[in-house]
Amino acid sequence: MSLMRSTILKASESAWLRERAPRYGFIRKSVERFMPGERADDALAVAKRLADEGIITLLTHLGENVGSREEAEGVTQHYLGVLDRIRTDGVPSEVSVKLTQLGLDIDKEFCFRNLAALIESSPADKTLWIDMEQSSYVDATFDLYSRARKTYRNTGVCVQAYLRRTKKDVESLIAMGASVRLVKGAYKEPPEIAFPKKTDVDENYFALAQMLFGAEGRQAGVRAAIATHDRPLIERVSRWAVAEGIAKNQIEFAMLYGIQRAEQLRLAREGYRCCVLVSYGSFWFPWFMRRLAERPANIAFLLRNIFSG
Ligand code: FDA
């Protein structure tokens, strides 16, 4: 991991910086590139616009590691309202949550009840997704996910290709016929746990995508979402999957709002399933810092905003 990436990821965990960052206009302006606004209405408006372009959306209310039951219940209520809006507005959107937003740090059973309430209120044809957080949460996340899957079909979970353990986890998820979002991984992890070299992460990513789209996964009813902005990797996965005889509308790609917009449109136009994750909310600091860490050019963009007023 580069020094710059690891420094930014360390800073993303700073409560001191989190409190001060929103005071600076140039930082808020940079955040706007990745997020249409702080309200659910802002995200739903984008969802409608993207739906007209054949793009589905994944909505997420920014937040993590809530410190009280009241806060976790507030987040759950908020998402219940959003699920209701998705139903009444008829937008092709799904929701993705972080378990530490639903109270995982406070009480696992309490968190599970909040999660179950959200899956239950999700329309049957929509998946309620669970994000993957730092490696210390992976076991608890899979534990709650597999419990939820025993009762509900319409729930999915994210897996991170940078983790050495993920191949084994994907094998279990395939056996369950799970819905799986494959990402590279956004946190600072030690080399014993995560591949430090980008080329190893990319190779593992491709191997995991092949497993998810493979015959066993298809037979088990796996839904795989290839969540990356890495164009050579998108090309490699799509070429391989099409050669395997998989219909384009069964091959799903997912990207973040504001990143690789032309590629999103291309995929949708060519008949692939294309999904854009739209984040909103006021707790954006750690999430924004992870976006900066992903691409050094984003730092230059941030700095340019200091001078452009
Ligand atoms: P990579 O970092 O190799 O980037 C490839 C190219 O994409 C770059 O060269 C650049 O052109 C472009 N790019 C990537 N990031 C950019 C950025 N921030 N700004 C501008 N351009 C950028 N992680 C996690 O740990 N848990 C999770 O639950 C999720 N969930 C999730 C959902 C969805 C829909 C997406 C797209 C991503 C996530 N992630 C995530 C984040 C993921 O782990 C990863 O950090 C980012 O997707 C960046 O990695 P790429 O796969 O894009 O490749």
Side-chain angles (χ1 to χ4, degrees):
M1 185 186 289
S2 76
L3 183 63
M4 171 147 20
R5 178 158 187 259
S6 81
T7 309
I8 299 170
L9 288 178
K10 184 93 197 108
S12 76
E13 293 165 4
S14 159
W16 188 88
L17 280 175
R18 187 179 69 229
E19 205 186 296
R20 280 157 186 81
R23 297 181 197 165
Y24 296 95
F26 75 95
I27 296 183
R28 283 203 312 279
K29 197 165 160 201
S30 305
V31 171
E32 281 165 20
R33 178 181 160 194
F34 301 109
M35 157 175 139
E38 293 195 352
R39 299 167 314 141
D41 276 345
D42 300 320
L44 283 158
V46 166
K48 282 183 197 151
R49 222 174 52 228
L50 291 178
D52 292 338
E53 297 171 344
I55 294 176
I56 55 174
T57 35
L58 193 55
L59 307 184
T60 203
H61 182 234
L62 293 171
E64 48 203 80
N65 300 106
V66 301
S68 71
R69 282 175 187 264
E70 293 67 37
E71 239 184 300
E73 277 158 4
V75 172
T76 308
Q77 287 306 318
H78 171 86
Y79 276 128
L80 289 173
V82 171
L83 289 166
D84 216 37
R85 283 288 301 278
I86 289 175
R87 197 178 286 107
T88 51
D89 291 8
V91 277
S93 303
E94 295 180 332
V95 158
S96 196
V97 298
K98 284 193 174 20
L99 291 183
T100 65
Q101 239 185 331
L102 302 183
L104 184 60
D105 291 330
I106 302 162
D107 173 352
K108 209 167 152 188
E109 288 310 308
F110 165 73
C111 175
F112 184 73
R113 285 197 296 280
N114 289 334
L115 174 68
L118 295 182
I119 305 173
E120 259 172 38
S121 349
S122 236
D125 62 340
K126 300 250 160 57
T127 298
L128 192 291
W129 290 95
I130 302 172
D131 285 1
M132 190 55 81
E133 302 178 62
Q134 291 91 330
S135 57
S136 52
Y137 293 112
V138 176
D139 279 330
T141 303
F142 284 133
D143 184 27
L144 294 196
Y145 177 72
S146 34
R147 274 177 62 189
R149 262 302 283 197
K150 289 199 178 105
T151 313
Y152 314 102
R153 295 281 310 164
N154 60 335
T155 178
V157 69
C158 177
V159 297
Q160 298 155 324
Y162 65 8
L163 294 186
R164 295 180 188 273
R165 60 175 283 170
T166 298
K167 182 169 181 281
K168 269 206 147 353
D169 294 327
V170 164
E171 282 165 4
S172 315
L173 291 165
I174 287 176
M176 266 185 237
S179 294
V180 182
R181 181 208 304 152
L182 178 60
V183 302
K184 289 193 187 176
Y187 299 88
K188 182 167 158 36
E189 300 291 355
E192 313 81 75
I193 291 180
F195 299 108
K197 273 171 51 193
K198 178 176 157 52
T199 46
D200 290 338
V201 177
D202 292 354
E203 277 311 306
N204 197 38
Y205 193 105
F206 183 63
L208 295 168
Q210 286 179 305
M211 284 170 72
L212 289 165
F213 282 123
E216 202 188 322
R218 294 207 295 277
Q219 249 165 28
V222 166
R223 170 179 168 192
I226 302 301
T228 181
H229 314 93
D230 186 333
R231 279 187 292 174
L233 195 52
I234 291 172
E235 180 62 22
R236 199 173 165 202
V237 173
S238 60
R239 236 178 235 271
W240 178 84
V242 168
E244 282 291 292
I246 304 172
K248 284 185 176 174
N249 64 5
Q250 298 296 309
I251 307 172
E252 178 169 349
F253 291 100
M255 294 183 219
L256 302 179
Y257 174 86
I259 304 179
Q260 304 280 29
R261 166 107 175 108
E263 182 71 354
Q264 296 167 10
L265 284 168
R266 179 190 73 82
L267 289 166
R269 257 191 241 117
E270 290 187 9
Y272 293 98
R273 199 173 150 93
C274 180
C275 175
V276 168
L277 189 149
V278 184
S279 301
Y280 63 93
S282 55
F283 192 89
W284 44 255
F285 178 75
W287 164 87
F288 173 63
M289 294 296 275
R290 291 197 289 273
R291 303 292 79 81
L292 288 188
E294 280 157 4
R295 193 164 177 251
N298 288 341
I299 308 269
F301 171 72
L302 176 78
L303 295 176
R304 274 202 306 278
N305 281 339
I306 299 180
F307 303 107
S308 64

